[in-house]
Amino acid sequence: MKRNVVAFLSKEGLTLKDVQNGKKQFTSHHKNEEDDLVLCLSNHTSQADWSSLFSDYDIGDQHFKQKSVKGAFFVKVENRYVIFTFGHGRSLIEKLSIERGFGLRVSMNLGDPEQLKSIDKSTLDRVARNTRSQVALNSGIQDFDFAFDHEILKSITAIVSKGDEELEMVSGNDSVSLYTEIEADKFRDIAERLVTAYFSDNYKEQYPWAEFIGLESDPEIVKQLESILVEKFKAESIDGFWLAPPKIIDYHDFSGFVYSTKSIRSEAPCKHPELQLDAFLVEAPFKNKASISINTLKAKEIYLYNGSDQHLESIGFFESLNGELDFNGWKYVLNDGHWYHVKQSFAKEVESYFDLLPRWQGLEDKPYKDQRECCYLRRIADGEQIAVLDQHWVRHKNVKQNYEFCDLLTQCNRIIHVKHYGGSSVLSHLFAQATNGLDMMLNCPEIIPQVQEHLENTYISFDFSPSEKRVHTIVLAIISPHSGVLHIPFFSKVNLRHHAREIQNKGFPVELAKIPVDKITLLNSSTESKCQCKSKTAICTKSLTETD
């Protein structure tokens, strides 16, 4: 009969006892003593969790009893085990014993790349999204809107191309699910087939980008990476690691980051306008360097304060920690509390693109020394060389929502988008803002008059027609407290390349700009002064966007 069978693959050289979860109670069943096919079963009886809804009824507890059976069938193939699970049989397997990504690789090798039914993917964009894309008709990867240069392929579901008319379907990530004809005597053949598919390199031809980047889910590798990280903190050798906010900070009501609970208890919190790892370790040191562990790193927090010296919220130190390690021929990136593996060749391509992207020096002599980004933008705008468009709202036709076209516009036709330095999810907002602003230019003609009205009291003009030659340059400006050349997290470089290529393909040059921070002035500036910046909507917006 046909049914779905779910299977995992053990790591090499493990015994049956190593692969089984010793913390679970189960019975083992052999067909004969010499057979290496082992079925493990576990029975569990429990009260239905919804039974309390009917507690007022005169019904005996025995009527709400439910029995569940879970099984794991261990089939030895050479020096590994293929484990078929039934029910919740995965719990009978030792988590550290399985090969991560087994199901995805098998699916890519067995499935027909032109007969995909669905894909699961995770994006590295400004908000991490796990999504499933499906198509009405089986199709190739090109019809799934999959951006391999900044998205992670987590799973595929595909038809298995076979010479006969027997339908098979395969999908998977760590485990593989195969819809096929199954009988008791076919498990060994299927197990051998799955192992052969796992070790095949055919998928590299059909999906050459599949191993570019991925979330590292192997607990043993994560444990080793965390061990290396801990040793770096013990040895005070933290080059290549830095702190960045893992989320967008509302700088309109923000006075600084606080590292030490001692200064909080003394009611004199020492506030920092930017995150710096060395300052954090001075003010919030570990009590005993020898006892530093991954748990102590994850337990530390950073506190956000507003202009009234009130504690707004806390962010995790480990989630704010960014860095890169080379290990076993791969680059590993720590970002938002997760480890990712990156193929070295892909990492070099991304780094090369970032290094070759043109830099604009136009803001190098205009350091940031303001408590809020909006105040900085208005301070440097003179209406002659630079005009401010921050919080100067525009609208699409028929869409009652305010948008920000850009932050600054220059006389030399540079459209500038500005953001504070931060983690990859923070800087992705900057790149997305630039892409959205460009889409408005190209596709929404009603935007142009609104921008022009905002520029009426300046000496700067803005004219654009999608059919005419491109004269504008898109500038991505980052307020960075770090000295030297501009540096951003690796995943920010991945997203930058994706968005910059999209902009360049539409005919617009892209430049990066660094806005330095005047730390001394910023540190001594008052955090109590209220922001006087106001938003503005063009008068013509209503007539251009109102509906009948």
Side-chain angles (χ1 to χ4, degrees), residues 252-267:
H252 290 89
D253 188 26
F254 173 78
S255 62
F257 301 98
V258 176
Y259 305 145
S260 172
T261 54
K262 285 184 179 180
S263 66
I264 295 176
R265 289 194 296 269
S266 66
E267 297 184 353

Side-chain angles (χ1 to χ4, degrees), residues 134-403:
Q134 295 178 308
V135 290
L137 298 175
N138 299 338
S139 186
I141 193 73
Q142 67 275 4
D143 293 324
F144 284 87
D145 193 26
F146 179 70
F148 67 85
D149 63 341
H150 82 139
E151 291 183 324
I152 300 172
L153 182 65
K154 302 183 69 177
S155 176
I156 67 170
T157 300
I159 299 298
V160 178
S161 181
K162 299 188 69 176
D164 53 34
E165 295 183 357
E166 181 181 334
L167 174 68
E168 284 189 338
M169 191 161 58
V170 65
S171 65
N173 188 336
D174 287 342
S175 64
V176 63
S177 174
L178 181 65
Y179 178 76
T180 188
E181 188 74 29
I182 185 66
E183 296 175 6
D185 60 354
K186 289 189 176 182
F187 278 106
R188 184 178 294 280
D189 291 340
I190 293 176
E192 292 176 349
R193 182 182 171 200
L194 295 177
V195 172
T196 300
Y198 177 67
F199 286 104
S200 172
D201 288 334
N202 291 339
Y203 74 96
K204 294 182 180 180
E205 296 181 8
Q206 303 292 347
Y207 311 93
W209 37 261
E211 292 184 327
F212 281 179
I213 190 168
L215 178 65
E216 184 53 63
S217 57
D218 190 321
E220 288 189 354
I221 293 180
V222 170
K223 186 177 180 180
Q224 292 181 67
L225 294 171
E226 291 178 342
S227 177
I228 295 172
L229 179 64
V230 167
E231 290 304 316
K232 282 184 170 291
F233 274 92
K234 287 182 178 180
E236 298 183 355
S237 176
I238 52 174
D239 291 343
F241 285 84
W242 66 94
L243 292 177
K247 56 178 289 184
I248 295 291
I249 304 298
D250 180 10
Y251 286 95
H252 290 89
D253 188 26
F254 173 78
S255 62
F257 301 98
V258 176
Y259 305 145
S260 172
T261 54
K262 285 184 179 180
S263 66
I264 295 176
R265 289 194 296 269
S266 66
E267 297 184 353
C270 181
K271 292 175 288 185
H272 299 263
E274 304 288 347
L275 283 178
Q276 289 195 328
L277 181 54
D278 53 354
F280 179 91
L281 295 177
V282 169
E283 294 186 21
F286 296 96
K287 294 180 180 179
N288 182 355
K289 286 188 175 64
S291 64
I292 296 176
S293 68
I294 194 63
N295 290 331
T296 56
L297 293 180
K298 292 181 178 180
K300 282 187 171 291
E301 292 186 317
I302 299 169
Y303 310 93
L304 277 65
Y305 272 67
N306 65 8
S308 302
D309 277 349
Q310 294 176 321
H311 176 212
L312 293 172
E313 58 178 316
S314 302
I315 54 178
F317 170 76
F318 188 73
E319 285 72 29
S320 305
L321 188 63
N322 289 261
E324 300 167 14
L325 291 174
D326 290 325
F327 180 68
N328 285 347
W330 287 79
K331 177 186 285 291
Y332 289 89
V333 176
L334 178 61
N335 182 76
D336 288 346
H338 298 286
W339 290 97
Y340 294 83
H341 56 255
V342 183
K343 196 172 182 178
Q344 290 285 14
S345 59
F346 177 68
K348 289 179 181 178
E349 288 180 13
V350 172
E351 296 288 356
S352 176
Y353 183 89
F354 177 77
D355 292 340
L356 293 175
L357 202 62
R359 267 53 169 180
W360 184 56
Q361 310 297 328
L363 298 175
E364 290 278 355
D365 61 346
K366 297 175 177 59
Y368 181 87
K369 51 187 177 182
D370 309 79
Q371 288 297 328
R372 300 165 186 87
E373 180 183 307
C374 56
C375 299
Y376 166 77
L377 296 173
R378 284 158 177 76
R379 178 172 61 80
I380 67 168
D382 56 13
E384 295 182 2
Q385 300 296 324
I386 301 176
V388 64
L389 287 176
D390 171 68
Q391 297 182 59
H392 286 45
W393 306 126
V394 296
R395 288 183 189 173
H396 292 286
K397 189 175 183 180
N398 302 328
V399 179
K400 293 184 178 180
Q401 182 175 344
N402 290 331
Y403 293 91

